[in-house]
């Protein structure tokens, strides 16, 4: 079974609009972390935002916020006021067993975001 | 954040050649990782290290090998490159908090002819 599911292969948005990228996850651990990364066409992976399973408030970093709904096991990324430079592939990732050594990041298949003027 | 460097950025090489992909970081992070990513696909962990002289294989089976003789350096070697090794290889290192966030290098795009 997929641990991380991103159901939107592609999303299209106009500049200055907000966009939500969906991510659901599957784990039986109580302690886990959720991450979002951005990958432009140049190929590097850029860390955007982190949410721990015990964090009570949704994480925010500038124009990025993470809509964390623990009961639904969803961790959607919200980008406010989209910019042309936001066009990229976005990956949701999870690390289970947050307090253990030896646990890897598990990535979803990604969502391609295209921002138009 | 981590400063992670990878060289070369692009490599085109013939079948059977030995190649080493370099990865270094300047932040003194103990934990480092190698991922393989085919175009438009998700990343898969192929190797990781939790410190000097510590290396482990990741979830995705790989014919590559790694070494960790110095904290800052985590090279990946393919003894005999094949077309099936064509992919992007991304190196990362992680900070302890929050959640051992991983920071990535720019990647190496490998094409084996």
């Amino acid at each position: 079974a997929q641990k991380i599911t991103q159901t939107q292969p592609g999303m299209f948005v106009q500049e200055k609009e907000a966009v939500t990228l969906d991510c659901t996850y599957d784990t039986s651990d109580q302690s886990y972390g959720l991450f979002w990364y951005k990958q432009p066409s140049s190929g590097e992976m850029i860390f955007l935002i982190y949410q721990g399973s015990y964090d009570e408030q949704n994480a925010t970093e500038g124009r990025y916020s993470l809509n964390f709904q623990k009961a639904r096991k969803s961790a959607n990324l919200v980008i406010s006021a989209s910019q042309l430079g936001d066009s990229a592939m976005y990956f949701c990732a999870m690390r289970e067993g947050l307090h253990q050594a030896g646990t890897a990041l598990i990535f979803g298949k990604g969502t391609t975001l295209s921002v138009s003027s | 954040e981590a400063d992670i460097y990878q060289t070369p950025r692009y490599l085109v090489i013939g079948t059977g050649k030995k190649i080493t992909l370099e990865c270094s970081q300047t932040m003194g992070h103990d934990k480092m990782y190698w991922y393989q990513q085919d175009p438009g696909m998700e990343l898969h962990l192929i190797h990781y290290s939790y410190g000097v002289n510590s290396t482990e294989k990741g979830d995705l089976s790989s014919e590559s090998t790694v070494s960790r003789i110095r904290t800052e350096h985590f090279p990946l070697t393919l003894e005999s490159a094949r077309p099936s090794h064509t992919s992007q290889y991304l190196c990362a290192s992680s900070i302890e908090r929050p959640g051992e966030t991983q920071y990535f290098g720019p990647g190496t795009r490998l094409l084996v002819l």
Side-chain angles (χ1 to χ4, degrees):
Chain A
Q2 285 281 344
K3 289 272 189 179
I4 297 286
T5 302
Q6 295 181 252
T7 56
Q8 308 152 314
M11 289 286 285
F12 297 88
V13 69
Q14 291 221 305
E15 259 187 308
K16 301 178 186 175
E17 289 183 353
V19 62
T20 297
L21 306 184
D22 294 340
C23 173
T24 57
Y25 59 92
D26 182 25
T27 182
S28 56
D29 279 356
Q30 296 300 308
S31 177
Y32 52 90
L34 297 156
F35 304 79
W36 276 93
Y37 286 87
K38 172 185 177 181
Q39 187 176 44
S41 57
S42 52
E44 73 268 36
M45 292 285 284
I46 302 166
F47 166 70
L48 296 177
I49 197 165
Y50 165 80
Q51 178 87 42
S53 59
Y54 291 118
D55 295 339
E56 293 186 353
Q57 293 199 339
N58 288 343
T60 59
E61 289 286 348
R63 293 187 299 113
Y64 304 108
S65 60
L66 199 152
N67 185 359
F68 181 46
Q69 298 191 37
K70 197 169 182 177
R72 294 186 177 184
K73 292 189 175 177
S74 80
N76 299 339
L77 177 70
V78 180
I79 306 174
S80 63
S82 297
Q83 301 171 357
L84 294 177
D86 293 334
S87 294
M89 197 150 185
Y90 289 79
F91 289 94
C92 180
M94 175 175 66
R95 196 166 83 80
E96 299 174 289
L98 215 52
H99 301 299
Q100 302 169 12
T103 57
L105 266 183
I106 304 163
F107 284 85
K109 293 184 182 298
T111 295
T112 300
L113 175 66
S114 299
V115 182
S116 58
S117 56
Chain B
E1 287 195 22
D3 292 324
I4 310 278
Y5 306 98
Q6 289 187 246
T7 56
R9 291 292 312 278
Y10 304 91
L11 180 61
V12 181
I13 201 161
T15 297
K17 300 289 187 184
K18 177 179 179 178
I19 59 172
T20 296
L21 307 185
E22 301 288 348
C23 175
S24 59
Q25 49 98 1
T26 60
M27 300 302 289
H29 292 164
D30 285 328
K31 296 177 182 175
M32 296 187 73
Y33 313 81
W34 275 104
Y35 290 86
Q36 184 174 341
Q37 183 189 27
D38 291 333
M41 303 294 287
E42 68 266 48
L43 280 71
H44 292 284
L45 182 69
I46 51 174
H47 298 283
Y48 62 96
S49 167
Y50 284 169
V52 171
N53 295 326
S54 145
T55 60
E56 300 286 345
K57 287 188 180 293
D59 301 328
L60 182 68
S61 174
S62 173
E63 293 167 348
S64 57
T65 59
V66 292
S67 63
R68 190 90 183 274
I69 298 171
R70 303 197 316 263
T71 298
E72 63 270 22
H73 195 214
F74 190 39
L76 180 144
T77 298
L78 276 165
E79 290 293 333
S80 179
R82 294 210 300 267
S84 60
H85 297 139
T86 294
S87 191
Q88 172 161 253
Y89 294 84
L90 289 151
C91 180
S93 71
S94 62
I95 57 172
E96 287 298 324
R97 298 281 186 271
E100 291 189 14
T101 299
Q102 293 183 19
Y103 292 92
F104 286 79
T108 294
R109 294 192 184 187
L110 173 65
L111 173 61
V112 183
L113 302 175

